[in-house]
Amino acid sequence: MNGQAAMFVMHIALQGCLRARDVEYGVNADTGGHIRYLLDLVRASAAEPRVDRIEIVTRGFQQDGMSTCYSAETETVDAKTRIVRLATACSRYLPKEALWPEHDSLTAALVAHIAALDRRPDILHAHYADAGEIARRVGAAFDIPFLFTAHSLGRVKRAAFAGVDDDALAGMDRRIALEEKTIAAAAGIIASSRDEAEVQYAGYGAYCPGRIRVIEPGSDLAAFADAAPDPAMAARIDRFLTVPEKPMILAIARPVTKKNLAGLVHAYGTSAHLRRTANLVIVAGIRDDIGGMEPEIAGNLDELLRLIDRYDLYGHVAYPKHHLPSEVPSIYALARRRGGVFVNPALNEPFGLTLLEAAAAGLPVVATDSGGPNDIVERCGNGVLVDPRDHAAMATAIAGILDDRAQWDRYSRAGAVAVAAYDWTRHAELYHDFAESALGRRPPRPLPVPADTTLLVCDIDNTLVGCPASTSRFTDWHGRQADLLFGIATGRSLHSAQAILSRENVPQPQVLITSVGSEIYHLDPTGTGYDRDEAWAARIAVGWDRAAVAAVLAQAGDLQPQGSLEQRTFKLSYFTRGDPDTARRVRDLLRAAGHACSVIQSHGTYLDILPHAASKGTAVEHVRRHYGLSREQVMVAGDSGNDVEMLRSVRHSIIVANHSDGLDQDPTLAHSFVSRFGHAGGIIDGVDHFRRLSRSGLPAAANTGISCVSAS
């Protein structure tokens, strides 16, 4: 820990029924995935030597019919961690919509609690909007920075529920106002997915993308990968079903409106094919008497029962009343054994832990296209995404997997990626890196840069990453380069780039050129986040009419828009049919319509349209000037067509051996050094080459000893 004291982290999580063990998931609308996330996070944090103390501060209450544990002042989680329950003005359980009158008493109680401690927390971490308000107030009182995890955002819920369940929007303006203040005051914001970081937060006035870090949650998935069906649990499900052996369409979610379980019943009930070939199994929390449950849950359960009756689904749908958390893996295993599919039909899913569970269990998935499932399905390749409001599309997607055994097998095998990819130990490492930077313990390299500094700007995919051995060697090598300023130039967005760099344990860049050169971000003075280069944005905005350009390209019948997350303010992205002449033809089409644009084709099938002034090349030149460097102090490295402008415009350009798009045959790149080593090994090779060339004036070859050689 470099001689620094270990951290005392205080989490603030006020809603739901929070206890250390046997959490009653689904007992009410607020006892859901955020509690599991929090408990898993603190358990992983407790294993970190950088942390020696953790408290989870929540609200104590007493309620008839609920366990007395929720009124206990403290509860031990592990040797480093305890839950602290604060008494507030109201002693009863309150749903999140009714917490706001308790803010003053919660603040006073937490201030008193911290004042009585033998040591103040180093950092606070607020979960949901009400906790964000308390962290903002208490953090200001004690000068303690705080991190914020929204879990779900009011603006997103308002958009999703408008016209669907207007009653669920009561108090939403108040919640959104709290979120605005929290976002503005937080030292850093932790998001679970690109959708959350780049779309959901973008609706807020305080939105600053560089202060948001995507740190994908881990998940303890071993139990799901190794699970077998439990006969007792299977019996509780099968008693509903006339033909239990049919494939299971499985959903596991709290019965709240945003989870859209009714939409899944509609999709199943209106599909004669699905009713004939599969059973629907809905595990919707735990319940005894629906009439005694809180209104939102009771209303959703009533709706499910009415829909089952409307479509006459008796004998086709199972909806068991009880299950223990320990029994959930066996439910997935039963669905897998019967050749089923897991469905997450939520109107918006901030992350989607159940999708990871299904993936680990070898169960293909059909998931909402709104939120974190975009990242999970892209990474694992274990299913398909659908519009959760399109019941016919949902039914078609489910049937497509059930009816194609070869595809079912592919998705089932692909899910194994999740076990290795979503790891709590790695999440905790990244989480504490972020917390340390918020505390000023991880400062960036000092600016302005020394006169003898070299700026190295690398592409990510298939250049910096792609060979784990090379990437690891680069990280070690970079640590010894005191005179090197490291930057990235990528087609990825800011948060996508940060996520893969963190995943690959790559050093933190000083500058990130993202979205094919249309955005530039500089590491801020604290080393916590990134500041957008507004001068660059203003420069490339001149003459750019995004809507008009998109309208012209809509007439080109062979272009298919990429997903919404790939579309940016200064970038339109498409798939092509692989015609190498597409870029020239599109450029001519736009020019004829009066639009001068930068048109970049790479890897045969990717096409990006940018403002005329934007490219990786012009962005690198802007960065060079920003840091006051000469042209001789800049090196760049790339592998594909979207690197051409950067490679062409910089004298010291490096082409790695595993390049594509004929870079080594491009006469405009004749000045480039083509390494015989692939990926990051080629970067090191190229830097060594140009350094020797600078010292001796003679060309030189280098051997890095990297074994990942993949010449085209």
Side-chain angles (χ1 to χ4, degrees), residues 91-127:
S91 62
R92 294 179 292 102
Y93 173 79
L94 294 172
K96 61 180 176 295
E97 294 82 7
L99 282 176
W100 63 271
E102 305 299 293
H103 287 175
D104 290 344
S105 59
L106 277 164
T107 301
L110 185 51
V111 166
H113 170 69
I114 292 175
L117 292 172
D118 60 318
R119 170 186 167 196
R120 291 181 181 176
D122 295 295
I123 195 163
L124 309 176
H125 185 170
H127 301 264

mmCIF file of all heavy atoms in Angstrom, residues 91-127:
data_model
loop_
_atom_site.group_PDB
_atom_site.id
_atom_site.type_symbol
_atom_site.label_atom_id
_atom_site.label_comp_id
_atom_site.label_asym_id
_atom_site.label_seq_id
_atom_site.Cartn_x
_atom_site.Cartn_y
_atom_site.Cartn_z
ATOM 1 N N SER A 91 -40.479 5.105 12.833
ATOM 2 C CA SER A 91 -39.905 3.811 13.214
ATOM 3 C C SER A 91 -40.397 2.667 12.335
ATOM 4 O O SER A 91 -39.908 1.549 12.458
ATOM 5 C CB SER A 91 -40.236 3.502 14.676
ATOM 6 O OG SER A 91 -41.646 3.409 14.853
ATOM 7 N N ARG A 92 -41.363 2.919 11.439
ATOM 8 C CA ARG A 92 -41.918 1.864 10.593
ATOM 9 C C ARG A 92 -41.085 1.690 9.316
ATOM 10 O O ARG A 92 -40.304 2.569 8.943
ATOM 11 C CB ARG A 92 -43.357 2.201 10.193
ATOM 12 C CG ARG A 92 -44.349 2.231 11.351
ATOM 13 C CD ARG A 92 -45.740 2.596 10.860
ATOM 14 N NE ARG A 92 -45.820 3.985 10.398
ATOM 15 C CZ ARG A 92 -45.809 4.375 9.129
ATOM 16 N NH1 ARG A 92 -45.748 3.477 8.165
ATOM 17 N NH2 ARG A 92 -45.887 5.652 8.824
ATOM 18 N N TYR A 93 -41.294 0.547 8.643
ATOM 19 C CA TYR A 93 -40.683 0.357 7.336
ATOM 20 C C TYR A 93 -41.274 1.374 6.360
ATOM 21 O O TYR A 93 -42.487 1.622 6.345
ATOM 22 C CB TYR A 93 -40.927 -1.059 6.798
ATOM 23 C CG TYR A 93 -40.432 -1.207 5.375
ATOM 24 C CD1 TYR A 93 -39.079 -1.386 5.117
ATOM 25 C CD2 TYR A 93 -41.306 -1.100 4.290
ATOM 26 C CE1 TYR A 93 -38.607 -1.482 3.820
ATOM 27 C CE2 TYR A 93 -40.840 -1.189 2.987
ATOM 28 C CZ TYR A 93 -39.488 -1.382 2.760
ATOM 29 O OH TYR A 93 -39.019 -1.450 1.470
ATOM 30 N N LEU A 94 -40.423 1.955 5.518
ATOM 31 C CA LEU A 94 -40.878 2.906 4.508
ATOM 32 C C LEU A 94 -40.325 2.515 3.142
ATOM 33 O O LEU A 94 -39.126 2.227 3.017
ATOM 34 C CB LEU A 94 -40.398 4.328 4.853
ATOM 35 C CG LEU A 94 -40.979 4.963 6.116
ATOM 36 C CD1 LEU A 94 -40.260 6.282 6.405
ATOM 37 C CD2 LEU A 94 -42.480 5.193 5.973
ATOM 38 N N PRO A 95 -41.154 2.486 2.110
ATOM 39 C CA PRO A 95 -40.634 2.279 0.751
ATOM 40 C C PRO A 95 -39.843 3.507 0.314
ATOM 41 O O PRO A 95 -39.940 4.579 0.911
ATOM 42 C CB PRO A 95 -41.895 2.096 -0.085
ATOM 43 C CG PRO A 95 -42.959 2.831 0.666
ATOM 44 C CD PRO A 95 -42.618 2.676 2.123
ATOM 45 N N LYS A 96 -39.076 3.371 -0.747
ATOM 46 C CA LYS A 96 -38.192 4.454 -1.172
ATOM 47 C C LYS A 96 -38.946 5.741 -1.490
ATOM 48 O O LYS A 96 -38.436 6.838 -1.279
ATOM 49 C CB LYS A 96 -37.344 4.025 -2.368
ATOM 50 C CG LYS A 96 -38.119 3.646 -3.619
ATOM 51 C CD LYS A 96 -37.164 3.248 -4.734
ATOM 52 C CE LYS A 96 -37.877 2.766 -5.980
ATOM 53 N NZ LYS A 96 -38.628 1.512 -5.780
ATOM 54 N N GLU A 97 -40.167 5.608 -1.990
ATOM 55 C CA GLU A 97 -40.931 6.810 -2.343
ATOM 56 C C GLU A 97 -41.286 7.641 -1.109
ATOM 57 O O GLU A 97 -41.606 8.824 -1.226
ATOM 58 C CB GLU A 97 -42.216 6.411 -3.076
ATOM 59 C CG GLU A 97 -41.996 5.779 -4.437
ATOM 60 C CD GLU A 97 -41.664 4.294 -4.364
ATOM 61 O OE1 GLU A 97 -41.740 3.727 -3.242
ATOM 62 O OE2 GLU A 97 -41.332 3.711 -5.406
ATOM 63 N N ALA A 98 -41.235 7.022 0.070
ATOM 64 C CA ALA A 98 -41.634 7.719 1.298
ATOM 65 C C ALA A 98 -40.459 8.035 2.212
ATOM 66 O O ALA A 98 -40.653 8.431 3.361
ATOM 67 C CB ALA A 98 -42.664 6.867 2.051
ATOM 68 N N LEU A 99 -39.241 7.902 1.703
ATOM 69 C CA LEU A 99 -38.077 8.142 2.560
ATOM 70 C C LEU A 99 -37.743 9.620 2.728
ATOM 71 O O LEU A 99 -37.092 10.003 3.703
ATOM 72 C CB LEU A 99 -36.849 7.419 1.986
ATOM 73 C CG LEU A 99 -36.746 5.915 2.236
ATOM 74 C CD1 LEU A 99 -35.525 5.349 1.517
ATOM 75 C CD2 LEU A 99 -36.660 5.619 3.724
ATOM 76 N N TRP A 100 -38.185 10.458 1.792
ATOM 77 C CA TRP A 100 -37.714 11.843 1.806
ATOM 78 C C TRP A 100 -38.034 12.608 3.088
ATOM 79 O O TRP A 100 -37.217 13.450 3.514
ATOM 80 C CB TRP A 100 -38.241 12.595 0.568
ATOM 81 C CG TRP A 100 -39.742 12.731 0.498
ATOM 82 C CD1 TRP A 100 -40.610 11.867 -0.065
ATOM 83 C CD2 TRP A 100 -40.515 13.800 1.031
ATOM 84 N NE1 TRP A 100 -41.894 12.304 0.069
ATOM 85 C CE2 TRP A 100 -41.873 13.504 0.740
ATOM 86 C CE3 TRP A 100 -40.219 14.968 1.718
ATOM 87 C CZ2 TRP A 100 -42.912 14.339 1.120
ATOM 88 C CZ3 TRP A 100 -41.249 15.819 2.104
ATOM 89 C CH2 TRP A 100 -42.588 15.498 1.802
ATOM 90 N N PRO A 101 -39.163 12.364 3.791
ATOM 91 C CA PRO A 101 -39.359 13.106 5.048
ATOM 92 C C PRO A 101 -38.340 12.734 6.128
ATOM 93 O O PRO A 101 -38.210 13.460 7.123
ATOM 94 C CB PRO A 101 -40.776 12.691 5.480
ATOM 95 C CG PRO A 101 -41.443 12.215 4.227
ATOM 96 C CD PRO A 101 -40.351 11.555 3.456
ATOM 97 N N GLU A 102 -37.630 11.628 5.935
ATOM 98 C CA GLU A 102 -36.645 11.177 6.932
ATOM 99 C C GLU A 102 -35.254 11.748 6.694
ATOM 100 O O GLU A 102 -34.339 11.464 7.477
ATOM 101 C CB GLU A 102 -36.564 9.647 6.914
ATOM 102 C CG GLU A 102 -37.895 8.935 7.111
ATOM 103 C CD GLU A 102 -38.514 9.272 8.457
ATOM 104 O OE1 GLU A 102 -37.952 8.877 9.492
ATOM 105 O OE2 GLU A 102 -39.565 9.951 8.458
ATOM 106 N N HIS A 103 -35.074 12.541 5.650
ATOM 107 C CA HIS A 103 -33.723 13.000 5.325
ATOM 108 C C HIS A 103 -33.084 13.771 6.471
ATOM 109 O O HIS A 103 -31.898 13.572 6.779
ATOM 110 C CB HIS A 103 -33.743 13.866 4.062
ATOM 111 C CG HIS A 103 -33.963 13.079 2.812
ATOM 112 N ND1 HIS A 103 -34.113 13.674 1.570
ATOM 113 C CD2 HIS A 103 -34.086 11.742 2.583
ATOM 114 C CE1 HIS A 103 -34.306 12.748 0.647
ATOM 115 N NE2 HIS A 103 -34.295 11.566 1.248
ATOM 116 N N ASP A 104 -33.821 14.657 7.092
ATOM 117 C CA ASP A 104 -33.228 15.458 8.169
ATOM 118 C C ASP A 104 -32.832 14.585 9.348
ATOM 119 O O ASP A 104 -31.721 14.722 9.896
ATOM 120 C CB ASP A 104 -34.203 16.550 8.625
ATOM 121 C CG ASP A 104 -34.387 17.646 7.588
ATOM 122 O OD1 ASP A 104 -33.551 17.733 6.660
ATOM 123 O OD2 ASP A 104 -35.366 18.405 7.699
ATOM 124 N N SER A 105 -33.723 13.679 9.758
ATOM 125 C CA SER A 105 -33.390 12.838 10.908
ATOM 126 C C SER A 105 -32.298 11.827 10.552
ATOM 127 O O SER A 105 -31.460 11.481 11.398
ATOM 128 C CB SER A 105 -34.637 12.123 11.442
ATOM 129 O OG SER A 105 -35.246 11.316 10.457
ATOM 130 N N LEU A 106 -32.262 11.356 9.312
ATOM 131 C CA LEU A 106 -31.185 10.473 8.883
ATOM 132 C C LEU A 106 -29.841 11.195 8.904
ATOM 133 O O LEU A 106 -28.830 10.640 9.364
ATOM 134 C CB LEU A 106 -31.464 9.948 7.473
ATOM 135 C CG LEU A 106 -32.397 8.746 7.351
ATOM 136 C CD1 LEU A 106 -32.883 8.579 5.920
ATOM 137 C CD2 LEU A 106 -31.689 7.473 7.822
ATOM 138 N N THR A 107 -29.836 12.425 8.403
ATOM 139 C CA THR A 107 -28.601 13.204 8.406
ATOM 140 C C THR A 107 -28.105 13.419 9.826
ATOM 141 O O THR A 107 -26.919 13.212 10.130
ATOM 142 C CB THR A 107 -28.812 14.553 7.703
ATOM 143 O OG1 THR A 107 -29.228 14.326 6.355
ATOM 144 C CG2 THR A 107 -27.537 15.373 7.705
ATOM 145 N N ALA A 108 -29.007 13.831 10.711
ATOM 146 C CA ALA A 108 -28.617 14.081 12.107
ATOM 147 C C ALA A 108 -28.101 12.803 12.761
ATOM 148 O O ALA A 108 -27.095 12.816 13.490
ATOM 149 C CB ALA A 108 -29.801 14.639 12.885
ATOM 150 N N ALA A 109 -28.763 11.680 12.496
ATOM 151 C CA ALA A 109 -28.346 10.417 13.104
ATOM 152 C C ALA A 109 -26.977 9.981 12.591
ATOM 153 O O ALA A 109 -26.144 9.483 13.362
ATOM 154 C CB ALA A 109 -29.390 9.339 12.823
ATOM 155 N N LEU A 110 -26.719 10.163 11.283
ATOM 156 C CA LEU A 110 -25.432 9.754 10.739
ATOM 157 C C LEU A 110 -24.311 10.683 11.209
ATOM 158 O O LEU A 110 -23.198 10.226 11.507
ATOM 159 C CB LEU A 110 -25.486 9.710 9.214
ATOM 160 C CG LEU A 110 -24.227 9.190 8.513
ATOM 161 C CD1 LEU A 110 -23.777 7.858 9.089
ATOM 162 C CD2 LEU A 110 -24.459 9.071 7.013
ATOM 163 N N VAL A 111 -24.589 11.973 11.285
ATOM 164 C CA VAL A 111 -23.592 12.911 11.819
ATOM 165 C C VAL A 111 -23.218 12.517 13.247
ATOM 166 O O VAL A 111 -22.034 12.477 13.620
ATOM 167 C CB VAL A 111 -24.115 14.359 11.760
ATOM 168 C CG1 VAL A 111 -23.247 15.285 12.611
ATOM 169 C CG2 VAL A 111 -24.162 14.854 10.319
ATOM 170 N N ALA A 112 -24.216 12.209 14.071
ATOM 171 C CA ALA A 112 -23.953 11.805 15.451
ATOM 172 C C ALA A 112 -23.167 10.499 15.498
ATOM 173 O O ALA A 112 -22.252 10.332 16.327
ATOM 174 C CB ALA A 112 -25.266 11.669 16.214
ATOM 175 N N HIS A 113 -23.509 9.568 14.617
ATOM 176 C CA HIS A 113 -22.813 8.283 14.589
ATOM 177 C C HIS A 113 -21.338 8.467 14.237
ATOM 178 O O HIS A 113 -20.451 7.919 14.912
ATOM 179 C CB HIS A 113 -23.483 7.354 13.580
ATOM 180 C CG HIS A 113 -22.706 6.098 13.316
ATOM 181 N ND1 HIS A 113 -22.552 5.111 14.255
ATOM 182 C CD2 HIS A 113 -22.014 5.687 12.209
ATOM 183 C CE1 HIS A 113 -21.818 4.135 13.753
ATOM 184 N NE2 HIS A 113 -21.486 4.463 12.516
ATOM 185 N N ILE A 114 -21.059 9.247 13.184
ATOM 186 C CA ILE A 114 -19.669 9.459 12.773
ATOM 187 C C ILE A 114 -18.900 10.204 13.856
ATOM 188 O O ILE A 114 -17.740 9.883 14.153
ATOM 189 C CB ILE A 114 -19.616 10.206 11.425
ATOM 190 C CG1 ILE A 114 -20.159 9.303 10.308
ATOM 191 C CG2 ILE A 114 -18.193 10.657 11.102
ATOM 192 C CD1 ILE A 114 -20.256 9.985 8.958
ATOM 193 N N ALA A 115 -19.531 11.202 14.469
ATOM 194 C CA ALA A 115 -18.859 11.972 15.519
ATOM 195 C C ALA A 115 -18.464 11.099 16.704
ATOM 196 O O ALA A 115 -17.472 11.371 17.392
ATOM 197 C CB ALA A 115 -19.763 13.113 15.984
ATOM 198 N N ALA A 116 -19.223 10.034 16.951
ATOM 199 C CA ALA A 116 -18.949 9.153 18.090
ATOM 200 C C ALA A 116 -17.933 8.063 17.772
ATOM 201 O O ALA A 116 -17.472 7.362 18.693
ATOM 202 C CB ALA A 116 -20.252 8.522 18.565
ATOM 203 N N LEU A 117 -17.578 7.892 16.490
ATOM 204 C CA LEU A 117 -16.623 6.853 16.120
ATOM 205 C C LEU A 117 -15.210 7.222 16.560
ATOM 206 O O LEU A 117 -14.870 8.407 16.688
ATOM 207 C CB LEU A 117 -16.633 6.635 14.606
ATOM 208 C CG LEU A 117 -17.899 6.018 13.992
ATOM 209 C CD1 LEU A 117 -17.810 6.054 12.466
ATOM 210 C CD2 LEU A 117 -18.088 4.584 14.483
ATOM 211 N N ASP A 118 -14.377 6.217 16.754
ATOM 212 C CA ASP A 118 -12.976 6.469 17.098
ATOM 213 C C ASP A 118 -12.174 6.954 15.892
ATOM 214 O O ASP A 118 -11.052 7.431 16.038
ATOM 215 C CB ASP A 118 -12.346 5.188 17.652
ATOM 216 C CG ASP A 118 -12.376 4.042 16.645
ATOM 217 O OD1 ASP A 118 -13.414 3.880 15.976
ATOM 218 O OD2 ASP A 118 -11.370 3.322 16.529
ATOM 219 N N ARG A 119 -12.764 6.858 14.714
ATOM 220 C CA ARG A 119 -12.076 7.227 13.477
ATOM 221 C C ARG A 119 -13.118 7.541 12.424
ATOM 222 O O ARG A 119 -14.122 6.841 12.301
ATOM 223 C CB ARG A 119 -11.217 6.038 13.041
ATOM 224 C CG ARG A 119 -10.614 6.123 11.657
ATOM 225 C CD ARG A 119 -9.926 4.809 11.355
ATOM 226 N NE ARG A 119 -9.572 4.666 9.967
ATOM 227 C CZ ARG A 119 -9.257 3.512 9.399
ATOM 228 N NH1 ARG A 119 -9.276 2.396 10.122
ATOM 229 N NH2 ARG A 119 -8.927 3.458 8.111
ATOM 230 N N ARG A 120 -12.912 8.595 11.696
ATOM 231 C CA ARG A 120 -13.873 8.962 10.654
ATOM 232 C C ARG A 120 -13.642 8.139 9.390
ATOM 233 O O ARG A 120 -12.518 7.746 9.089
ATOM 234 C CB ARG A 120 -13.741 10.450 10.322
ATOM 235 C CG ARG A 120 -14.212 11.363 11.436
ATOM 236 C CD ARG A 120 -14.093 12.816 11.054
ATOM 237 N NE ARG A 120 -14.529 13.670 12.154
ATOM 238 C CZ ARG A 120 -14.478 14.999 12.145
ATOM 239 N NH1 ARG A 120 -13.990 15.623 11.081
ATOM 240 N NH2 ARG A 120 -14.895 15.691 13.182
ATOM 241 N N PRO A 121 -14.707 7.879 8.637
ATOM 242 C CA PRO A 121 -14.532 7.184 7.356
ATOM 243 C C PRO A 121 -13.650 8.002 6.415
ATOM 244 O O PRO A 121 -13.671 9.245 6.435
ATOM 245 C CB PRO A 121 -15.961 7.085 6.811
ATOM 246 C CG PRO A 121 -16.856 7.340 7.971
ATOM 247 C CD PRO A 121 -16.105 8.219 8.906
ATOM 248 N N ASP A 122 -12.889 7.300 5.594
ATOM 249 C CA ASP A 122 -12.097 7.984 4.568
ATOM 250 C C ASP A 122 -12.959 8.372 3.377
ATOM 251 O O ASP A 122 -12.719 9.406 2.740
ATOM 252 C CB ASP A 122 -10.956 7.075 4.106
ATOM 253 C CG ASP A 122 -9.959 6.808 5.205
ATOM 254 O OD1 ASP A 122 -9.301 7.767 5.642
ATOM 255 O OD2 ASP A 122 -9.864 5.647 5.644
ATOM 256 N N ILE A 123 -13.946 7.531 3.071
ATOM 257 C CA ILE A 123 -14.792 7.799 1.906
ATOM 258 C C ILE A 123 -16.175 7.219 2.160
ATOM 259 O O ILE A 123 -16.323 6.196 2.838
ATOM 260 C CB ILE A 123 -14.159 7.198 0.631
ATOM 261 C CG1 ILE A 123 -14.812 7.784 -0.627
ATOM 262 C CG2 ILE A 123 -14.187 5.680 0.630
ATOM 263 C CD1 ILE A 123 -13.997 7.580 -1.893
ATOM 264 N N LEU A 124 -17.198 7.895 1.649
ATOM 265 C CA LEU A 124 -18.572 7.418 1.696
ATOM 266 C C LEU A 124 -18.946 6.872 0.321
ATOM 267 O O LEU A 124 -18.403 7.313 -0.704
ATOM 268 C CB LEU A 124 -19.528 8.551 2.076
ATOM 269 C CG LEU A 124 -19.207 9.376 3.307
ATOM 270 C CD1 LEU A 124 -20.217 10.509 3.465
ATOM 271 C CD2 LEU A 124 -19.193 8.507 4.560
ATOM 272 N N HIS A 125 -19.877 5.946 0.302
ATOM 273 C CA HIS A 125 -20.389 5.425 -0.971
ATOM 274 C C HIS A 125 -21.903 5.330 -0.840
ATOM 275 O O HIS A 125 -22.413 4.543 -0.039
ATOM 276 C CB HIS A 125 -19.783 4.061 -1.269
ATOM 277 C CG HIS A 125 -20.158 3.512 -2.610
ATOM 278 N ND1 HIS A 125 -19.565 2.396 -3.157
ATOM 279 C CD2 HIS A 125 -21.073 3.916 -3.545
ATOM 280 C CE1 HIS A 125 -20.090 2.146 -4.338
ATOM 281 N NE2 HIS A 125 -21.019 3.050 -4.587
ATOM 282 N N ALA A 126 -22.600 6.137 -1.619
ATOM 283 C CA ALA A 126 -24.060 6.216 -1.544
ATOM 284 C C ALA A 126 -24.705 5.348 -2.613
ATOM 285 O O ALA A 126 -24.273 5.339 -3.770
ATOM 286 C CB ALA A 126 -24.514 7.660 -1.717
ATOM 287 N N HIS A 127 -25.773 4.646 -2.211
ATOM 288 C CA HIS A 127 -26.506 3.769 -3.107
ATOM 289 C C HIS A 127 -27.951 4.261 -3.201
ATOM 290 O O HIS A 127 -28.681 4.268 -2.217
ATOM 291 C CB HIS A 127 -26.466 2.332 -2.585
ATOM 292 C CG HIS A 127 -25.074 1.793 -2.452
ATOM 293 N ND1 HIS A 127 -24.478 1.032 -3.434
ATOM 294 C CD2 HIS A 127 -24.146 1.946 -1.464
ATOM 295 C CE1 HIS A 127 -23.250 0.716 -3.046
ATOM 296 N NE2 HIS A 127 -23.025 1.252 -1.853
#
